[in-house]
Amino acid sequence: MENERFKSNTAVLVAFVTVLGAIAACLATSAASSAANADFNGLNAAISAQKAEIINEIYAYEHFRAFTDYSRYLELGNLLYDPNASEEIDAENGVMQREVWGVASGIRSTFFQSRYVTVDGIYDLQRELDEALAEDSQKEDLNPNPHFSESDRMHRRSSFLTADMIVLAISFWFLQLAQVTEKRIKYFWVVIGILLGLAGILGMLIGRFLI
């Protein structure tokens, strides 16, 4: 009678550990899936950031080249002024000077933004790149680091829970061994099985909430 009760109780423990193993497997699979999603999102963000950087550099250097042309026309207009020139030459130079400065003004108003020109007359290329990147960051995710950090955390959780499944599998094995053993050592096997089962429960809690 006692032996039958022992086997019945052990069978309940075996079923319980089996359920725990299934739960651990589900949690490990969920963590692995979350890690894969985080990897995908991180790669998307990295690709988007690289794309935005390339496009912004293309536009910024086009603007910088336009500023260079503007500076050249502006300086050319300055060079057309000759205080020692005759009245006729001065009038001709004045016409060319206004034309050249008109081209410079058109370039300034059309092909680059004046706010990127410093008080020293230098084009702040890095400022334009930084502002363009900040604007792009408001429209889409360009930071892959949080995603990769989350992926690493989920990979650690999945690995931990997979190891926990092994602990539960060993617990299941000891409980099964206790169930089929007729000698008194079966009590030793069942104690080991229970302890490993409790360790498995603790591992599931740690893996789910602390990793």
Side-chain angles (χ1 to χ4, degrees), residues 56-66 123 125 128-129:
N56 290 339
E57 285 187 356
I58 291 174
Y59 285 133
Y61 278 100
E62 285 181 351
H63 300 160
F64 179 71
R65 185 167 61 249
Y123 193 80
L125 184 65
E128 180 176 356
L129 289 171

Side-chain angles (χ1 to χ4, degrees), residues 6-202:
F6 176 83
K7 287 187 176 182
S8 297
N9 292 336
T10 305
V12 172
L13 291 174
V14 168
F16 182 64
V17 169
T18 302
V19 173
L20 290 177
I23 295 174
C26 181
L27 292 175
T29 302
S30 176
S33 178
S34 296
N37 290 336
D39 278 331
F40 179 79
N41 292 334
L43 288 173
N44 265 349
I47 292 172
S48 296
Q50 189 66 34
K51 176 183 175 182
E53 182 179 350
I54 292 173
I55 293 175
N56 290 339
E57 285 187 356
I58 291 174
Y59 285 133
Y61 278 100
E62 285 181 351
H63 300 160
F64 179 71
R65 185 167 61 249
F67 170 77
T68 303
D69 292 339
Y70 159 78
S71 299
R72 185 170 64 251
Y73 280 109
L74 194 66
E75 184 61 24
L76 179 60
N78 293 333
L79 293 175
L80 285 172
Y81 173 71
D82 183 3
N84 300 318
S86 64
E87 183 176 342
E88 182 180 353
I89 297 296
D90 186 59
E92 293 178 356
N93 287 345
V95 172
M96 289 188 293
Q97 187 181 55
R98 286 189 293 273
E99 290 179 353
V100 169
W101 279 349
V103 172
S105 177
I107 292 174
R108 177 167 184 161
S109 62
T110 306
F111 295 105
F112 68 90
Q113 298 186 43
S114 299
R115 61 194 178 97
Y116 294 125
V117 181
T118 67
V119 292
D120 299 327
I122 299 174
Y123 193 80
D124 195 342
L125 184 65
Q126 189 58 49
R127 179 189 170 191
E128 180 176 356
L129 289 171
D130 292 341
E131 289 186 2
L133 183 61
E135 184 177 346
D136 290 334
S137 298
Q138 295 177 354
K139 298 177 182 177
E140 58 181 332
D141 185 7
L142 301 179
N143 186 6
N145 293 330
H147 299 292
F148 289 140
S149 296
E150 177 67 9
S151 173
D152 291 340
R153 189 172 71 88
M154 288 294 104
H155 279 302
R156 289 195 300 271
R157 175 182 290 183
S158 178
S159 298
F160 186 87
L161 290 169
T162 300
D164 191 57
M165 288 169 55
I166 297 174
V167 174
L168 291 170
I170 297 173
S171 170
F172 174 86
W173 185 83
F174 274 108
L175 292 173
Q176 284 281 55
L177 182 62
Q179 193 175 27
V180 299
T181 301
E182 298 296 336
K183 297 180 180 180
R184 295 187 64 83
I185 197 174
K186 64 185 179 182
Y187 295 105
F188 178 68
W189 298 144
V190 79
V191 169
I192 294 179
I194 291 173
L195 290 176
L196 288 171
L198 292 174
I201 294 174
L202 179 61

